[in-house]
Amino acid sequence: MLSLPNQLPFPHVEPACGHAPRAVRNAAVRALLGELVTYPKPGLVSLCDSGSHRDMDAASFVRSSLALRRYFEQAAAAGAQGARFATLNRLGREAEARMLRATGGINTHRGAIFNLGLLAAAAGECAPQDRAPLGQRVRQLWGADIAAHRRDGSSHGSRVTATHGAGGAQAEAAAGFPSVYRIALPAYRDALARSGAANAARVQAFFALMAELADTNLLHRGGAGGLAFAQTAARQFLDAGGVHRSGWQSHAVRVHRQLVERWLSPGGSADLLAACLFVAALEPTR
């Protein structure tokens, strides 16, 4: 089994007037690794297996996460300098190229580059003492530009949006990450407070997202039927008590296997779980 270092080798960076870039970078990389080690996480790559993916594994996710660490620092520094969305978009494209070099051309973290890059920029941005939630600041600072941004029409997300009308990551970010703040973060914090178990809290947040999110990855792979199947399975898990009942792990593993059998992968939910972990690390409990 792949082991992860307790201390990641991050060089010292001087603080910005928001969160220090080094702190933002640490939080972002740990959020990505936290998402990776979460298990059971239906259909997705973990330390246990590759889920519904033949072209990637845990090692490729670790390489990708570490290749992106400078990007998150750059995004925080750009936010501190009042960067426009065009600058953040350029940094994201450069980060995507580094990710692809690190993974041999495999898309492990394109969604996370977009989500966490914006949240990292908001974390670095200068603000009064009473800081607004990071998602709200993304919406206020760059929401209009995010919504107006023209994506590659040949991408999976663009095709799914055209076919199914799902807003995807772009709409989620433009609106200030409502699925993170209304769904994932409350589920995560409640489960962590009740159980004290970090993995169980991450699993609960993931299932809460999968139950509600119009996940464009699921739509891409399975269409409306695939999305409905995954959402129903997640709701049944939560309605049965989620991680707050004995034997929850077996139920979650069963859902995992069902999604793998159907080649379904709720990657949008995974990206927002990482965003949830990042927000939880940098924002005090409200």
Side-chain angles (χ1 to χ4, degrees), residues 95-184:
E96 184 174 322
R98 289 197 294 273
M99 171 196 73
L100 294 173
R101 287 196 296 272
T103 62
I106 298 170
N107 170 24
T108 47
H109 284 127
R110 182 173 291 143
I113 288 170
F114 181 70
N115 293 335
L116 288 183
L118 289 168
L119 290 167
E125 187 260 340
C126 301
Q129 187 68 26
D130 184 17
R131 299 168 66 85
L134 296 178
Q136 179 180 323
R137 294 163 71 196
V138 169
R139 186 186 74 238
Q140 291 171 340
L141 291 165
W142 307 295
D145 290 330
I146 294 168
H149 179 64
R150 294 178 63 86
R151 295 181 295 174
D152 178 3
S154 65
S155 70
H156 295 329
S158 295
R159 290 198 296 266
V160 166
T161 296
T163 303
H164 298 280
Q170 186 171 355
E172 179 76 22
F177 297 96
S179 296
V180 171
Y181 285 89
R182 298 174 189 171
I183 299 172

Side-chain angles (χ1 to χ4, degrees), residues 6 29 45-46 50 62 75 80 98 108 117 133 152 176 181 237 254 285:
N6 291 325
V29 174
V45 174
S46 70
S50 293
V62 172
R98 289 197 294 273
T108 47
D152 178 3
Y181 285 89
F237 174 81
R254 186 163 65 251
T285 304

Side-chain angles (χ1 to χ4, degrees), residues 13-26:
V13 179
E14 290 299 322
C17 53
H19 287 281
R22 182 177 62 177
V24 173
R25 181 171 71 172
N26 281 338

Side-chain angles (χ1 to χ4, degrees), residues 3-284:
S3 62
L4 301 178
N6 291 325
Q7 298 292 330
L8 298 176
F10 297 143
H12 176 72
V13 179
E14 290 299 322
C17 53
H19 287 281
R22 182 177 62 177
V24 173
R25 181 171 71 172
N26 281 338
V29 174
R30 286 173 181 148
L32 293 180
L33 297 179
E35 183 274 319
L36 171 63
V37 302
T38 301
Y39 186 83
K41 189 177 55 193
L44 294 161
V45 174
S46 70
L47 299 187
C48 297
D49 59 50
S50 293
S52 299
H53 296 271
R54 293 193 182 100
D55 60 346
M56 59 184 74
D57 57 17
S60 59
F61 272 73
V62 172
R63 289 195 300 272
S64 176
S65 299
L66 296 179
L68 294 174
R69 61 192 188 274
R70 177 161 174 76
Y71 162 62
F72 297 122
E73 178 189 352
Q74 290 174 324
Q81 296 165 9
R84 299 173 65 87
F85 175 70
T87 298
L88 302 180
N89 187 42
R90 175 181 57 78
L91 292 174
R93 291 197 306 271
E94 293 170 354
E96 184 174 322
R98 289 197 294 273
M99 171 196 73
L100 294 173
R101 287 196 296 272
T103 62
I106 298 170
N107 170 24
T108 47
H109 284 127
R110 182 173 291 143
I113 288 170
F114 181 70
N115 293 335
L116 288 183
L118 289 168
L119 290 167
E125 187 260 340
C126 301
Q129 187 68 26
D130 184 17
R131 299 168 66 85
L134 296 178
Q136 179 180 323
R137 294 163 71 196
V138 169
R139 186 186 74 238
Q140 291 171 340
L141 291 165
W142 307 295
D145 290 330
I146 294 168
H149 179 64
R150 294 178 63 86
R151 295 181 295 174
D152 178 3
S154 65
S155 70
H156 295 329
S158 295
R159 290 198 296 266
V160 166
T161 296
T163 303
H164 298 280
Q170 186 171 355
E172 179 76 22
F177 297 96
S179 296
V180 171
Y181 285 89
R182 298 174 189 171
I183 299 172
L185 199 56
Y188 173 76
R189 284 177 168 159
D190 175 69
L192 192 60
R194 291 171 64 178
S195 70
N199 182 66
R202 295 193 301 266
V203 169
Q204 185 76 358
F206 177 80
F207 271 86
L209 284 165
M210 189 166 73
E212 300 296 334
L213 189 69
D215 195 312
T216 55
N217 291 63
L218 288 171
L219 287 167
H220 168 65
R221 287 196 175 213
L227 174 65
F229 179 87
Q231 289 180 328
T232 298
R235 289 179 187 132
Q236 289 174 344
F237 174 81
L238 295 171
D239 290 345
V243 301
H244 306 300
R245 67 183 176 97
S246 176
W248 68 264
Q249 294 93 339
S250 296
H251 189 164
V253 168
R254 186 163 65 251
V255 177
H256 175 53
R257 290 172 178 164
Q258 290 171 339
L259 264 64
V260 171
E261 287 172 1
R262 291 162 175 80
W263 211 238
L264 297 173
S265 173
S269 297
D271 291 337
L272 292 182
L273 173 61
C276 168
L277 299 177
F278 178 80
V279 169
L282 292 186
E283 290 185 9

